[in-house]
Amino acid sequence: MSDSVILRSVKKFGEDNHGFESDSSYNNDKKSKLQDEKKGGSSQVGFFRLFRFSSKIDICLMSMGSLCALLHGVAYPGVLLIFGTMTDVFIEYDMELQELSIPGKACVNNTIVWTNDSLNQNMTNGTRCG
């Protein structure tokens, strides 16, 4: 069967849980834990030294991934510009329809003008149509 388990302590927030361990593997000495961590050790390495063992394929894939990440980052502002332009086109089209719904106005030479014999016949409001 399995080893017997002894309840040593209850885990506190931020601590390792050694509450349920068998008798042989329980180690209460914190100094020996720190020494074990230092033996496994991690040393700081420079950024470019990380890639000293990479092959040409690895470098190609990393540069391609960086390029794709750059394009992905540029895409969102590009979508905002396109959406803003599209919104402007919809608003101008609605304004054109509202102007043309007024009796006596028509689209002549891509400009909305009065077509009847009123005083405002030669005046245009500058609204484009067409």
Side-chain angles (χ1 to χ4, degrees):
M1 256 179 134
S2 65
D3 293 336
S4 62
V5 177
I6 299 172
L7 177 61
R8 297 282 185 190
S9 66
V10 177
K11 178 182 175 185
K12 294 180 183 177
F13 185 72
E15 293 181 356
D16 291 334
N17 190 2
H18 298 291
F20 295 100
E21 293 192 15
S22 62
D23 290 333
S24 62
S25 66
Y26 184 72
N27 186 2
N28 197 15
D29 188 17
K30 290 188 178 183
K31 289 183 181 178
S32 64
K33 289 181 187 178
L34 291 174
Q35 289 173 353
D36 290 341
E37 288 177 6
K38 287 183 181 178
K39 286 180 185 175
S42 62
S43 62
Q44 293 183 352
V45 178
F47 180 74
F48 291 106
R49 289 193 67 176
L50 286 173
F51 304 110
R52 69 179 167 188
F53 297 114
S54 60
S55 65
K56 291 184 180 188
I57 294 173
D58 293 336
I59 293 171
C60 180
L61 289 175
M62 285 185 280
S63 60
M64 187 180 301
S66 298
L67 178 68
C68 289
L70 179 76
L71 292 175
H72 184 266
V74 170
Y76 187 70
V79 167
L80 288 177
L81 289 173
I82 291 171
F83 182 73
T85 305
M86 187 175 63
T87 304
D88 288 343
V89 168
F90 288 150
I91 290 172
E92 289 173 2
Y93 179 73
D94 187 45
M95 288 173 50
E96 177 186 338
L97 286 180
Q98 288 178 1
E99 286 284 326
L100 289 176
S101 66
I102 298 172
K105 285 192 173 184
C107 183
V108 177
N109 294 332
N110 291 332
T111 306
I112 297 176
V113 295
W114 290 95
T115 57
N116 57 7
D117 291 332
S118 68
L119 294 173
N120 297 328
Q121 183 177 5
N122 294 327
M123 294 178 64
T124 62
N125 60 0
T127 305
R128 296 192 56 175
C129 64

